[in-house]
Amino acid sequence: MPDLEPGQTHLHAGRSVLRPDLIEKVTGAAQYCVDIRRSGMLHAKIVRSRRAHARIASIDTSAARAMSGVVAVIVASDLAGLFARFGHIVPDHEILASGKVRYYGEPVAIVVADTEAAASDALDYVDVDYEDLPAVMSAEEALAPGAPLVHEEQHRRVDVDSLSPVETGADQGELRTSNVAHEATLEWGDVDSVWPVAAAVVENRMHYPMLYAYAMEPYNAVASFDEGRLEVDSTAQHPFMVRDDLARIFSLPLAAVTVRAPYLGGGYGSKSYTKVEPLAAVASWRTGRPVKLVLDVEESIYTTRADSAEVHVRSAFDDQGHILAREIDIVMDSGAYADNSPLVVAKSVNRSFGPYRVPNLRVRGRSVYTNTSPASSYRGFGAPQGVLAGETNLEQAADRLGIDSAELRRRNLVRPGEEILHGKRGIDADLPADLEMVVGALREHAPEDQSWFASAMACSASDAGAFPVSTATVRVQADGSVIVLSGSTEMGQGSRSALAQIAAEELRVELRVVTVRQSDTGATAYERTTGASRTTTLTGLALQRACQDALSKLRSMAAEVKGCSADEIAPSPAGFALPGGDTISYGEVVRSWFGAAAGEVTGIGLLRREGATAKMPPFWEIGMIGVGCRIDPATGAIAVEQLVTVGDVGFAINPQAVEAQDLGAATQGLGCALFEELLYDGPQLMNPNIVDYRVPRMRDLPGRIDAMLAERRDGVGPYGAKGSGEGALNPIAAAVATAVARVVGRWPDRVPLTPERVWRLINETGPDDTTGDRSSPREG
Amino acid sequence: MTTTAIAITCTVNGVKVERTVEVRRTLAQFLREDLSLTGTKVSCDVQICGACTVLVDGQPVSSCTHLAVDVDRSAVTTVEGLASEGRLHPLQQAFVEQMALQCGFCTPGFLMMAKALLDENPDPSREQIIEYLDGNLCRCTGYAPIVAAVEQAARVLGPAGGDSNA
């Protein structure tokens, strides 16, 4: 066990320990969902819609069924008797399209065969006859008067109290009249009274693209339905929420459905909520055998993407640069099914206006159904869309007011404890201090050659952590080793290691005797989600309580076996100090109490909305970013020469891991800023693959990286910790867009800033130059 | 449907393997499904991401688009063949220490590509590392820790390079 050095307050927490899961991963031993096989297992492949919007006239499966190795071909009518939809907010998502298809790529039939190759071979033999319907391929088309409806029925929301199936349809008279899937608003003060009296009113519009998270392990699942019990291994970030959807589909008790998530090959939000599990589950239900379904990358892209957004911002300032009012309108293209987009747009509303004092505010966000692939959560969760427009608006205001943009932020940033959202938790961070860290790093390392170069910064604050429902279990074994059970999924972020550190810290044991097991709804503790950067904070708190519960039980048992009072027993490493100077280890306590070399002691930790986590959000996740960009004027290509991240995490349980998360998040954000964009051309995507969808590569690595941590112990989590993992992504596109504008003298109206777009900004003048706020182009 | 299958003989991580494989079977399928060597991962499936990289006679290939029949009379090395006698290869050790992976799905491909680099050039410059590994994608790390890990492994392996541990 490490010794406490002067100034250190913890044995394990706060140290950059080697993550045990990484050792399994470098040897190839780590098991991911895609590696799982079951005896008797069949393979499924999906017949997908080749239309954006069409009525299904007929499906002929006879030729496919006759092929070698094909066991079954399943269509929507085969699901009679099931509640054949899912969706944790609005259960509008059909497992298999019935009646009509709503997007190109939508599952229409499942081919189940004895090998993957046989299932693939049979796909083209399923004959689907379509009658085309007029399609809406963008939010603008979908919102136009008289636009065709993607959904005719209004599906009622899931009744979260009973979890029971919610019926829909004409009998409740709930027919839809528009393609708006969800609308969220936020308003205080009186914005309209401010515009006429403001010293400056700055308006801009930014487009945020459709994105693919490209978690490198594609969506996959293995399902086994047998005698009223369902077992599923899947790439699910939130196995407990997937279980709830599956139980509703089959009308099974929650306890009869088991969902397990082994190591995930990346998630980034894209594996939140139910995806392919119902397809594998109904295939197993129909065939009576375990069924494995592995999507390829193109299918994964069509399964979930990020909401694209059109964001319009109008801000009013006084002559000293204080914000008087902000009005923001957000329209998201959420695709054919709601999935988590209602929550994404609601969060975007909360996160769009920035961590500033805004006395008058009006924000409206709309999530719109279109005949495109369904959108849902992606790292940052509504923040990147809103922050891109909001922060570039602030930068343009700085130009207009003649105030340095860092100074403009200093004058408007909320101070520690101040509310961003009225009635919610005040900000648990020192944003002005974080800002100075970025300003200082950018200044200190500014390159001598300033030609075609500019640095810029941006910031954000996200109401993070999601709803606090977390549990944890610790099991102290007869040899004193410890098993931690958690329902939080290890998808790369390092929770398995961080939770082990917290347990070792609380129980005062060596790290190597702690084993963490995660994400098995039938065996581990409950966790609502693995998202919103919550695990270290919320699961960590539940785990601390579980450890304290185990210690309290062990102490009482030690008192019983030693014949003393529990009050006379003091903590000591891996055990207790007894009256008279002896010590007793946890293992000895367990063995003595049970009277055998056997037994275990279990501690339970429960967390809900009370006490420290009563006020929402549980914590604020901060994004504070600086970039230095150099543009090649001949090609428009951007080289990111400097990257500055500040991880304002309260307390870093594993500092190396936090910095690694920040760099990863920033890099993913740079992908959106510079390269990444899914593009529709007619009914289908023109780049649904990793050849045409360009993600950051090693050669894009920023020339200089300053990763800093701000540890002020101001979070509600263990030892003052707050979450991280999304923050560095949220503002980075805004920072890059600002740097480009500083170099070329014109404001872009969208990202990614591809070489062509930057070249056009340099070389063309046109109607997209709406601001009229040209700063002087730099000399090349 | 008639299946055309061919008998092949090869060594995989030093073990002799004799199998009859369908001609359309990829090396990745052969390794993962027929030999249960699931350390090799498939992601993009079109030879872009590098996750499925293995060594065939010392040369890196994308096993997602390399046919299994084409490794007849060849020696294949996968990530499972890197560690020896229970000790991590210096590349593996460096990846763990530098936190050059998070989810780990791309890691087997990076390790094999980096091994090919160090076998070829035991003392690569930073630019050479970036050029050599640019065909491998990672979505978690932001790449800088991977460069650091390869530099660390090169220092540990010394002038003999990866061959010392092949």
Side-chain angles (χ1 to χ4, degrees), chain A residues 660-671:
Chain A
Q661 279 276 297
D662 280 348
L663 178 59
T667 304
Q668 220 160 31
L670 283 174

Side-chain angles (χ1 to χ4, degrees), chain A residues 25-26 32 35 216 696 699, chain B residues 41 43 92 102-103 134 143:
Chain A
K25 288 169 177 174
V26 296
Y32 297 74
D35 302 327
M216 291 190 71
R699 64 166 175 262
Chain B
K41 301 295 189 242
S43 181
Q92 293 171 312
Q102 290 178 30
C103 87
D134 192 57
Y143 298 108

Side-chain angles (χ1 to χ4, degrees), chain A residues 437 441-442 444-445 626 642-646 704-708:
Chain A
M437 292 168 76
L442 286 175
E444 187 178 342
H445 304 295
Q642 276 182 290
L643 170 67
V644 180
T645 62
V646 175
R704 179 188 170 84
I705 298 165
D706 291 295
M708 294 178 280

Side-chain angles (χ1 to χ4, degrees), chain A residues 150-312:
Chain A
V150 179
H151 290 268
E152 288 78 14
E153 292 177 13
Q154 174 70 55
H155 297 287
R156 278 208 315 201
R157 294 183 163 234
V158 171
D159 181 346
V160 290
D161 294 325
S162 72
L163 293 164
S164 59
V166 183
E167 281 314 316
T168 63
D171 55 329
Q172 283 146 1
E174 292 186 84
L175 289 177
R176 300 187 58 86
T177 55
S178 86
N179 285 313
V180 176
H182 186 73
E183 181 164 337
T185 58
L186 190 64
E187 184 165 5
W188 58 70
D190 179 6
V191 291
D192 293 321
S193 69
V194 173
W195 311 122
V197 299
V201 176
V202 179
E203 214 169 332
N204 72 327
R205 194 181 284 277
M206 284 296 268
H207 176 78
Y208 190 89
M210 291 182 185
L211 296 172
Y212 172 49
Y214 190 31
M216 291 190 71
E217 182 186 16
Y219 298 110
N220 68 92
V222 191
S224 182
F225 192 100
D226 185 42
E227 300 290 331
R229 304 190 74 80
L230 175 63
E231 290 202 13
V232 179
D233 295 285
S234 95
T235 48
Q237 287 183 222
H238 314 337
F240 285 89
M241 291 192 85
V242 173
R243 175 194 66 166
D244 297 352
D245 266 333
L246 293 171
R248 194 181 307 113
I249 289 167
F250 294 100
S251 298
L252 289 173
L254 294 179
V257 179
T258 301
V259 179
R260 288 180 291 261
Y263 286 128
L264 263 57
Y268 325 112
S270 72
K271 291 171 179 169
S272 308
Y273 310 106
T274 303
K275 305 290 183 215
V276 295
E277 298 86 357
L279 289 165
V282 299
S284 178
W285 173 72
R286 286 291 294 182
T287 59
R289 291 173 61 180
V291 174
K292 181 169 187 170
L293 171 62
V294 181
L295 302 194
D296 63 25
V297 164
E298 177 167 345
E299 292 179 290
S300 295
I301 289 174
Y302 276 112
T303 298
T304 303
R305 60 172 173 83
D307 292 82
S308 59
E310 199 68 41
V311 183
H312 180 206

Side-chain angles (χ1 to χ4, degrees), chain A residues 355 406 409-410 413-416 427-442 457-461 620-626 644-650 662 706 708-714 722-723 727:
Chain A
R409 286 191 176 83
R410 279 183 203 110
L413 280 170
V414 291
R415 301 307 193 255
I427 187 118
D428 47 359
D430 189 342
L431 292 167
D434 294 344
L435 176 114
E436 300 310 333
M437 292 168 76
V438 172
V439 170
L442 286 175
M457 61 173 305
C459 67
S460 66
W620 288 88
E621 183 165 1
I622 306 308
M624 190 67 77
I625 279 284
V644 180
T645 62
V646 175
D648 183 339
V649 296
D662 280 348
D706 291 295
M708 294 178 280
L709 297 179
E711 297 182 273
R712 305 187 188 97
R713 306 216 176 190
D714 42 13
K722 296 175 283 191

Side-chain angles (χ1 to χ4, degrees), chain B residues 21-143:
Chain B
V21 294
E22 266 190 283
V23 290
R24 70 172 175 179
R25 202 150 182 76
T26 67
L27 179 55
Q29 290 168 330
F30 177 65
L31 293 169
R32 289 178 47 81
E33 293 163 23
D34 298 355
L35 305 185
S36 294
L37 291 168
T38 54
T40 299
K41 301 295 189 242
V42 175
S43 181
C44 76
D45 217 10
V46 289
Q47 217 175 353
I48 287 292
C49 74
C52 65
T53 304
V54 300
L55 304 185
V56 176
D57 296 329
Q59 293 299 309
V61 305
S62 295
S63 63
C64 73
T65 45
H66 196 89
L67 293 176
V69 292
D70 286 340
V71 300
D72 189 25
R73 286 171 289 176
S74 294
V76 179
T77 310
T78 71
V79 70
E80 289 94 341
L82 271 185
S84 61
E85 291 158 20
R87 291 186 52 136
L88 294 181
H89 185 279
L91 272 166
Q92 293 171 312
Q93 187 67 34
F95 268 60
V96 173
E97 289 176 9
Q98 297 290 339
M99 216 171 269
L101 65 153
Q102 290 178 30
C103 87
F105 206 76
C106 70
T107 307
F110 267 105
L111 287 168
M112 300 318 291
M113 201 67 190
K115 174 154 192 341
L117 166 65
L118 297 185
D119 286 348
E120 192 180 304
N121 176 2
D123 186 24
S125 67
R126 181 182 166 84
E127 289 67 32
Q128 286 170 323
I129 293 170
I130 290 172
E131 187 193 357
Y132 205 92
L133 296 181
D134 192 57
N136 289 66
L137 300 179
C138 170
R139 289 293 270 173
C140 293
T141 63
Y143 298 108

